[in-house]
Amino acid sequence: NPWTWVSGQGWRVNGTGAAPSQQRLLSPVLTASGGLFSVDARHFFDFEAASPTSCFDGGNVKVSINGGAFQVLAPSSGRGYTGPISGNFGNPLAGQQAFCGQSGGVVSSVFEANLVAGTQVRLALDAGWDDSFQTPNPNWRLESATIRLGDQVTPPPNVVPEPSTYALLGMGLGGVGFIARRRRATKA
């Protein structure tokens, strides 16, 4: 079953259980401004786990840089991947790190990369299932994602004033003093 939008819940996806399958949700192409690129995803998952540290079914986040192949992007903070997906039952994501088991509610996972300004980025949420199916519940639900395209840092401006700046400042202060003196003389 493809990723679907459900109002009030976000994007969600379920496996079919009929055969090994994979579903991908793609972002548009994004252009980084340079510096730290980050994605803070709030999500819920309920995939079939093989053990507490490995998966039969699961999902992960991938990134494509400048049109290259998609690569698994590991969470840098928050909820991390549970473990690798088993290669024994035909899951198309076999061997890849993934979220699986039960998240126990909505969790946050943060994904980060340092990118040069102008870098083209595309994100993918990939979900994969083997040839059996455990639960009819939504296997993965993305409630929200905050994407930061970078924090291009430029050097601070030169803060030493030019001599002409001092001359203009002096003339301005002199003018203000002259006007104030004239006002005092007029009131007297």
Side-chain angles (χ1 to χ4, degrees):
N1 296 337
W3 283 87
T4 55
W5 174 260
V6 177
S7 181
Q9 294 184 15
W11 289 98
R12 60 192 284 173
V13 66
N14 291 38
T16 62
S21 64
Q22 175 181 353
Q23 291 295 329
R24 175 174 278 180
L25 179 64
L26 286 172
S27 76
V29 175
L30 307 168
T31 302
S33 63
L36 186 65
F37 170 84
S38 67
V39 178
D40 184 353
R42 293 190 41 78
H43 60 115
F44 163 88
F45 56 89
D46 184 5
F47 286 106
E48 182 182 14
S51 74
T53 58
S54 65
C55 315
F56 287 129
D57 305 327
N60 57 28
V61 176
K62 294 185 172 101
V63 64
S64 168
I65 305 292
N66 292 326
F70 280 94
Q71 303 292 323
V72 175
L73 187 59
S76 58
S77 63
R79 182 67 175 261
Y81 291 133
T82 309
I85 293 180
S86 170
N88 295 335
F89 301 99
N91 189 318
L93 305 181
Q96 297 177 21
Q97 292 290 316
F99 298 111
C100 70
Q102 295 180 336
S103 62
V106 176
V107 296
S108 176
S109 298
V110 178
F111 303 86
E112 297 176 325
N114 281 307
L115 301 176
V116 175
T119 301
Q120 300 289 305
V121 179
R122 193 157 197 201
L123 298 168
L125 274 69
D126 273 351
W129 296 268
D130 61 16
D131 57 8
S132 66
F133 186 64
Q134 182 187 24
T135 175
N137 298 330
N139 296 127
W140 202 6
R141 187 176 74 224
L142 176 66
E143 289 200 350
S144 68
T146 303
I147 300 173
R148 183 175 170 189
L149 295 175
D151 56 358
Q152 183 70 29
V153 177
T154 56
N158 185 358
V159 293
V160 178
E162 296 289 326
S164 60
T165 304
Y166 287 121
L168 284 172
L169 177 63
M171 288 182 354
L173 289 173
V176 169
F178 177 75
I179 292 171
R181 187 175 175 167
R182 284 190 68 180
R183 283 189 181 169
R184 267 190 259 142
T186 306
K187 288 181 182 179

